[in-house]
Amino acid sequence: RSSIPGPLQGDAEVVCVCVCVRSRMQSVAEQGHMALLGHSLAAYMSVLDRERLRRLTTRIVSDTTLWLCRLFRYENASACFHEDDRDGLVKVSRLVLHARYEDYACEGFAVLSPRQPVIYQSASCRPGLGQHLCSQLGLPLSSLCTVPCNTVFGSQHQMDVALLEKLIREDSEAGRLPLLLIANAGTPGAGHTDKLGRLRELCDQYSLWLHVEGVNLATLALGQATSVVTAATRSDSLTLTPGQWLGLPAVTAVTLYRHEDPALSLAAGLTSSQPVEKLRALPLWLSLQYLGHNGIVQKITHATALSQQLLQKLKSLASIKTSVGLLLILWLFQTFELSFSLLHSHGVDVVELEDEGTCVRFSPLLTAAVLGTQQQDVEALVERLAELLPVMNATVALRAEFREEARRHAPSLCYVEELSWPGLGVVRYEPEAEGMDEGRRKQELQKIQAELLKKLQELDSDIVFSAGPEFGPEEDCIFVGMVSEDVDVPELVLTIASLGREIEESGRLLENMTEVVRKGILEAEQQLQQASMDKLMEEGLLRQIPVVGSMLNWFSPVQSSIRGRTFNLAAGSLDSTDATYATKAQAGRPSFQDTPPSSSKKLPGRTGSRASLTPSRPTPVWCLEPAEPAEPDTARPDQSGVSPEQQEQEEQSPR
């Protein structure tokens, strides 16, 4: 409740705000501080008079646009600065709608009905981009056409140009309007670039707007960019993210576009008449000046060099397949996922690709400037990878043997097919479920698996056993981690099965013993109740009254015929204590006098695992006796410790 603000105070109050960051903060370089300073200056400048603010923001926007156009070889273009890197594409699409449908500004969606617009995107585009675009434009999802990538010729991640042309032709013949094509200069997953030159020709042929985005657009700032990426300069628009490439925090994305009608640009939201909105470009304006042309090129060159360095190092390692999309490298490890801190600390992450499977991605243009990745970090990464490869190869080679061995121990062991698990395999111990309902069976399974996992983790072994991912699809399983090549798989599986069987049998033994004890206690309670009734019938009602009973027992003693009972855990039965009182020892056990000297330290009445419920007598476990009446005995001393005969002699003797 202390974090909930109270009522607003009437007087001024000094406010102190403390922000606690528990995770590791990313280093903010000097150019990052310059970007943060730009946000503060933008807030101060927003209170200037309107005319001065208009002149200042116009200069900031024009300078930034000119620098970006020259830096990335995209001359004679306008710029749109936006926080969400998808907003530029949304506004460009709205611009194309205004340009292709003359009455769109007046009639709205009504003019789209006779000829529905179609937007084309690659199957390798970032997930959700097309759906977001249709949602913002108010278009149905039927207006979105996803073009498959090449499956026979060329890269697996490049748009199929021949199939795209076929789709465009079919849409035109069906009365639909091909509107816009979204191409990639560096796909989000694998970093591949579409054939932008051929796509440009196709868009000219069918009057499509060509929009390009992707991380490889950063290489346009280098002196020698590849011809594949250079073709992006012929597109109608492209989206840049200089904040990621240069390590600038909270810097807007930029969409550069070429269009001659400023009125349509204003209607689409690409430009604004509000000077305050133009201040979004101020942090980028300051950062570009601080870095300078050489500084910008140096950062992009450094990221490219890191990628090339890692590529050369990986060529010397076996069992690694690299897929180079300019600045991105994939290490294919079948179904394995590397998860050690060295990867994540230098911008290496894991991606899932449709054809290749699970891969490790290194894209320094997106991470190096922020994390400060250097060449020695790449060296350390390769060394760590070289250490893990033998273990990974051994695990891959032994997975089939582990699966077969686990199936040989069926039905006690069940092999679980979990392709996303990077270890040796996954098994589940299946207890006997005969006569159990589903709820009882699941409860028994959870108890056995938890105890089995605990015992496996206590083994003196380098193999890691776990319960699997926290939100994994499989529950109540044993996940076996990576192993070395010298591991004995049959012995490992046999150990798992044996421990599971041992836990199951011990649990059933305990359950049976518990049931026997429960039944014995119920039977003992019934016999105690019957003994109490027999005692009442034998002694009479008057003897149960404290004072009267004592007098009657004194003058007319009654010898009770009721004896106690002892519960034998081994036999599970109630026995009489007559033999115990006769021999002064437990039945079937050596007496106290016959006990060997080594057991002389045991307390009387506490031999073995049994303990008497009446400590004054050496009776066995669960000795259950009814209350006995006081019996007059001439040889029994009274409470003072003197017998009646001694008391009578003392009274007759002279004092």
Side-chain angles (χ1 to χ4, degrees):
R1 291 189 177 183
S2 61
S3 61
I4 301 177
L8 185 64
Q9 302 299 321
D11 298 330
E13 185 177 2
V14 178
V15 180
C16 178
V17 180
C18 179
V19 180
C20 179
V21 181
R22 296 185 181 273
S23 61
R24 184 179 66 88
M25 292 186 62
Q26 296 177 345
S27 59
V28 180
E30 294 183 2
Q31 69 271 12
H33 289 286
M34 187 61 65
L36 298 177
L37 177 61
H39 289 281
S40 301
L41 288 177
Y44 281 109
M45 292 169 60
S46 64
V47 300
L48 294 174
D49 61 89
R50 185 175 183 82
E51 182 60 26
R52 179 175 296 181
L53 180 60
R54 184 190 63 80
R55 294 197 303 267
L56 186 59
T57 54
T58 302
R59 175 63 182 275
I60 292 173
V61 171
S62 61
D63 287 350
T64 308
T65 303
L66 178 62
W67 297 337
L68 292 175
C69 289
R70 291 182 176 178
L71 185 64
F72 295 100
R73 308 182 188 185
Y74 200 79
E75 300 290 344
N76 302 322
S78 302
C80 174
F81 303 90
H82 44 91
E83 303 295 336
D84 191 337
D85 56 2
R86 301 172 299 180
D87 286 349
L89 177 58
V90 172
K91 294 178 180 179
V92 163
S93 302
R94 192 175 291 117
L95 170 66
V96 182
L97 286 174
H98 280 279
R100 299 298 299 274
Y101 295 90
E102 296 181 358
D103 298 331
Y104 181 73
C106 301
E107 302 296 334
F109 70 93
V111 301
L112 307 180
S113 301
R115 199 174 184 190
Q116 181 181 357
V118 182
I119 298 175
Y120 303 89
Q121 69 168 4
S122 170
S124 297
C125 280
R126 46 179 165 164
L129 178 62
Q131 290 79 358
H132 175 78
L133 185 59
C134 292
S135 174
Q136 295 298 313
L137 297 176
L139 297 177
L141 291 179
S142 57
S143 295
L144 180 65
C145 179
T146 301
V147 183
C149 296
N150 289 340
T151 56
V152 180
F153 303 102
S155 170
Q156 298 291 330
H157 305 279
Q158 288 180 331
M159 188 185 303
D160 192 332
V161 181
L163 183 57
L164 172 63
E165 184 176 4
K166 179 182 177 181
L167 294 173
I168 295 175
R169 190 184 309 113
E170 292 177 353
D171 289 334
S172 299
E173 294 174 355
R176 291 186 287 268
L177 177 63
L179 188 71
L180 181 141
L181 172 63
I182 307 172
N184 292 300
T187 55
H192 288 76
T193 300
D194 291 327
K195 300 173 182 178
L196 300 179
R198 293 191 57 191
L199 293 179
R200 176 70 271 178
E201 297 174 359
L202 193 62
C203 290
D204 292 338
Q205 180 181 352
Y206 291 94
S207 301
L208 267 75
W209 182 285
L210 178 60
H211 178 83
V212 181
E213 63 177 23
V215 65
N216 291 339
L217 291 175
T219 59
L220 291 173
L222 302 180
Q224 295 180 349
T226 62
S227 58
V228 178
V229 180
T230 305
T233 59
R234 298 167 52 198
S235 63
D236 297 298
S237 61
L238 50 85
T239 297
L240 309 174
T241 55
Q244 292 180 327
W245 305 339
L246 305 177
L248 306 175
V251 169
T252 61
V254 184
T255 295
L256 301 179
Y257 64 96
R258 295 189 179 105
H259 198 269
E260 298 178 355
D261 193 343
L264 293 183
S265 299
L266 181 62
L270 288 168
T271 59
S272 176
S273 59
Q274 300 297 326
V276 176
E277 294 186 8
K278 298 181 180 180
L279 287 174
R280 295 175 180 173
L282 181 58
L284 183 58
W285 182 74
L286 288 174
S287 300
L288 292 178
Q289 291 187 87
Y290 180 83
L291 288 172
H293 184 275
N294 294 335
I296 296 172
V297 173
Q298 189 274 333
K299 284 187 171 295
I300 299 176
T301 303
H302 174 69
T304 308
L306 291 177
S307 181
Q308 295 297 329
Q309 177 190 2
L310 182 58
L311 178 61
Q312 294 298 326
K313 294 291 183 181
L314 292 180
K315 289 182 178 179
S316 61
L317 298 179
S319 306
I320 292 185
K321 172 186 175 182
T322 59
S323 177
V324 183
L326 285 183
L327 298 179
L328 185 142
I329 299 175
L330 301 179
W331 311 324
L332 182 63
F333 295 120
Q334 296 185 6
T335 61
F336 283 84
E337 176 179 337
L338 291 181
S339 56
F340 47 89
S341 59
L342 186 59
L343 287 178
H344 302 291
S345 61
H346 296 296
V348 180
D349 58 349
V350 178
V351 294
E352 288 286 343
L353 300 180
E354 183 177 357
D355 298 323
E356 287 82 356
T358 304
C359 300
V360 180
R361 177 177 62 186
F362 177 61
S363 185
L365 255 181
L366 298 177
T367 58
V370 177
L371 299 177
T373 308
Q374 301 297 327
Q375 294 184 356
Q376 56 266 27
D377 299 323
V378 176
E379 295 287 345
L381 182 62
V382 175
E383 292 179 2
R384 178 59 175 159
L385 187 62
E387 296 175 1
L388 291 177
L389 276 178
V391 178
M392 297 175 63
N393 290 332
T395 304
V396 172
L398 295 175
R399 281 172 69 95
E401 184 181 0
F402 180 81
R403 179 176 61 252
E404 296 302 324
E405 286 294 328
R407 290 175 177 174
R408 284 183 59 250
H409 287 78
S412 59
L413 278 186
C414 174
Y415 180 82
V416 180
E417 194 74 30
E418 182 59 43
L419 298 179
S420 62
W421 175 245
L424 186 62
V426 183
V427 293
R428 179 191 295 114
Y429 184 84
E430 296 287 351
E432 295 183 7
E434 185 178 356
M436 293 185 184
D437 56 4
E438 185 61 26
R440 176 71 182 280
R441 175 187 172 279
K442 187 175 182 180
Q443 182 180 5
E444 185 72 12
L445 177 63
Q446 291 176 349
K447 183 172 66 175
I448 292 179
Q449 293 299 134
E451 186 65 23
L452 177 59
L453 178 60
K454 181 180 178 182
K455 287 186 175 295
L456 290 173
Q457 291 174 343
E458 293 174 353
L459 295 177
D460 186 13
S461 172
D462 295 333
I463 305 176
V464 177
F465 301 92
S466 66
E470 183 177 0
F471 301 102
E474 297 293 340
E475 297 180 353
D476 303 325
C477 297
I478 303 298
F479 288 73
V480 185
M482 294 186 180
V483 297
S484 57
E485 60 181 359
D486 58 347
V487 68
D488 191 342
V489 175
E491 182 181 355
L492 173 62
V493 178
L494 180 61
T495 301
I496 297 176
S498 302
L499 288 177
R501 192 178 305 110
E502 178 183 339
I503 295 172
E504 182 183 8
E505 293 176 354
S506 62
R508 290 189 176 180
L509 178 61
L510 180 61
E511 183 179 354
N512 294 337
M513 184 179 297
T514 303
E515 183 66 19
V516 169
V517 171
R518 187 184 66 83
K519 291 182 179 180
I521 292 176
L522 292 178
E523 184 181 355
E525 290 178 350
Q526 295 175 359
Q527 293 191 14
L528 285 176
Q529 293 177 359
Q530 184 63 35
S532 299
M533 295 298 297
D534 295 343
K535 174 185 175 183
L536 180 62
M537 298 298 296
E538 181 179 347
E539 297 179 353
L541 182 61
L542 291 178
R543 292 183 183 273
Q544 309 306 318
I545 302 175
V547 178
V548 178
S550 300
M551 296 296 296
L552 289 176
N553 289 334
W554 180 264
F555 291 105
S556 179
V558 177
Q559 184 68 30
S560 177
S561 61
I562 301 174
R563 286 290 181 265
R565 297 289 186 267
T566 179
F567 181 63
N568 192 336
L569 283 176
S573 60
L574 284 172
D575 302 328
S576 175
T577 57
D578 292 342
T580 302
Y581 287 115
T583 61
K584 302 299 181 180
Q586 297 181 12
R589 296 288 184 116
S591 62
F592 177 71
Q593 290 82 358
D594 298 336
T595 302
S598 60
S599 61
S600 60
K601 294 183 179 180
K602 295 181 180 180
L603 297 177
R606 299 193 177 216
T607 59
S609 60
R610 300 180 178 180
S612 174
L613 297 180
T614 54
S616 60
R617 298 176 180 174
T619 55
V621 173
W622 303 104
C623 182
L624 308 171
E625 303 180 30
E628 297 183 1
E631 301 178 1
D633 190 351
T634 56
R636 180 183 299 171
D638 59 4
Q639 296 180 357
S640 61
V642 182
S643 64
E645 292 82 2
Q646 294 176 350
Q647 186 176 4
E648 183 178 358
Q649 294 177 4
E650 290 180 0
E651 291 177 353
Q652 295 177 0
S653 62
R655 295 184 180 275

